[in-house]
Amino acid sequence: MTGAIPTSGSVLVVGSLNTDLTVYVDRLPRPGETVCVARAVTSFGGKGANQAIQARRLGAAVTFVGAVGGDDRGDDYLRHMEAEGIELRVARIGDHETGLGFVHCTADGTVSATVVSGANARLSAAAVEAALARGPRPGLILTQNEIPAESVIAVGLKAREMKVTAVLNAAPYVSYGQELHGLFDFLIVNEEEALAYAGHEAAPQDISGWLRLAAQLRSIAPEVIVTLGAAGAVYVGGRGERAVPAFHVQAVDTTGAGDSFVGTLCAALVRGEDLDSALERATIAGALTTLGAGAQESMPGESQIFHPPST
Ligand code: RIB
């Protein structure tokens, strides 16, 4: 663990790629109920790829390590990532399908998802170690929990060996033992994940409560960020504690908002921004991502986040 914030360099993301099928519903179906909808959208998703795309759109040099199946969806996804300008170190797992995300989005933009891991579940720790041993040393390494737990641990160990700042977006929740503790510099989680990692059932009622809960999670990593949706985010770490105010918008589809937050934070840090402005930009990017359908289509670009027109 470096404990340092990078001031330059590239972002290396180790993570998942999914094809998302999003259905837009007025409300979630009840058990035993069938609901007919007017609209479904297929798009590129997966937390790893979403975060890589967001960082790249904001001007960071990005390398992506992951796995796709031997199917046409895998071919399409690799072409898409290349077209976005991302350097790929992606395994083809011939006897598996590329990951799938089934997303339900309700009228207020709230989403719930089920993921079929497919090839993502075959990204081994050995493959991760080999991929991280190649190429120049990145400024920051980022991963999430949509790949096997042993591969997440391998990312943390390798980053520590390379003395590179390591960021874990621990989403979705995975029950690790003590082995996770101290491997990553940053832990980023949403409300549900924060409660699960802290072992709490009830959500705090106010920002002070969330700050206390984030402080508890410092047993996992020294720098902790909890994203709170429409309530913004909290940070507790080596630079003290902060409540980051929300950027208010009328959400259409919140898919990928958390990924946009994480990708933006990492892009801002390798650009040499201090943590306060990185957090502020991440909050704005996450909010802008909720304004359109799907995860990646609505992610903002460099001109919106780093050079907004003066009013
Ligand atoms: O964070 C949003 C992502 O979660 C979706 O793109 C879906 O694929 C799931 O991985």
Side-chain angles (χ1 to χ4, degrees):
M1 194 167 53
T2 68
I5 285 184
T7 53
S8 65
S10 57
V11 176
L12 190 150
V13 182
V14 183
S16 59
L17 312 101
N18 297 330
T19 308
D20 285 352
L21 177 65
T22 305
V23 289
Y24 293 89
V25 292
D26 291 335
R27 59 172 177 79
L28 292 177
R30 286 187 289 269
E33 184 187 22
T34 299
V35 170
C36 294
V37 297
R39 195 160 76 102
V41 172
T42 304
S43 57
F44 294 108
K47 295 183 194 306
N50 292 346
Q51 293 174 21
I53 295 268
Q54 179 62 91
R56 178 71 197 121
R57 291 221 182 124
L58 297 179
V62 176
T63 299
F64 185 82
V65 177
V68 292
D71 46 10
D72 290 348
R73 291 190 294 104
D75 290 330
D76 289 347
Y77 216 136
L78 296 185
R79 276 194 293 272
H80 167 63
M81 296 284 274
E82 271 167 1
E84 291 274 350
I86 293 174
E87 191 219 326
L88 297 178
R89 297 180 197 164
V90 176
R92 297 298 304 252
I93 313 290
D95 56 348
H96 275 59
E97 286 197 8
T98 300
L100 282 166
F102 295 95
V103 183
H104 275 84
C105 178
T106 52
D108 64 353
T110 304
V111 293
S112 43
T114 304
V115 167
V116 182
S117 299
N120 297 308
R122 296 285 305 276
L123 183 67
S124 67
V128 166
E129 283 160 16
L132 294 194
R134 283 170 50 195
R137 184 172 170 275
L140 181 152
I141 298 180
L142 163 66
T143 193
Q144 314 78 22
N145 283 341
E146 283 188 335
I147 58 171
E150 59 268 26
S151 302
V152 171
I153 299 293
V155 172
L157 288 170
K158 194 75 188 165
R160 202 160 63 165
E161 183 189 308
M162 294 163 76
K163 296 192 171 21
V164 172
T165 298
V167 179
L168 173 61
N169 172 218
Y173 170 74
V174 167
S175 171
Y176 291 94
Q178 296 281 322
E179 57 184 345
L180 187 68
H181 291 209
L183 283 187
F184 289 86
D185 298 287
F186 282 83
L187 174 74
I188 307 178
V189 285
N190 70 14
E191 303 105 306
E192 295 302 323
E193 293 144 6
L195 290 173
Y197 286 106
H200 289 207
E201 301 244 313
Q205 295 303 303
D206 54 22
I207 291 293
S208 316
W210 282 110
L211 284 165
R212 280 195 298 279
L213 194 138
Q216 249 185 281
L217 299 179
R218 291 189 75 197
S219 59
I220 301 175
E223 310 284 324
V224 175
I225 297 166
V226 181
T227 58
L228 302 173
V234 293
Y235 159 83
V236 180
R239 291 150 198 83
E241 59 177 48
R242 317 258 193 290
V244 188
F247 184 75
H248 291 287
V249 292
Q250 191 67 48
V252 171
D253 177 349
T254 56
T255 311
D259 298 330
S260 171
F261 180 100
V262 174
T264 301
L265 186 94
C266 293
L269 291 179
V270 296
R271 212 177 165 111
E273 297 232 326
D274 64 31
L275 189 64
D276 285 332
S277 34
L279 284 166
E280 189 186 341
R281 292 189 203 283
T283 306
I284 294 170
L288 293 179
T289 299
T290 71
L291 294 177
Q296 297 175 13
E297 285 82 350
S298 45
M299 285 178 171
E302 205 170 359
S303 63
Q304 288 160 283
I305 297 301
F306 288 107
H307 315 289
S310 49
T311 48

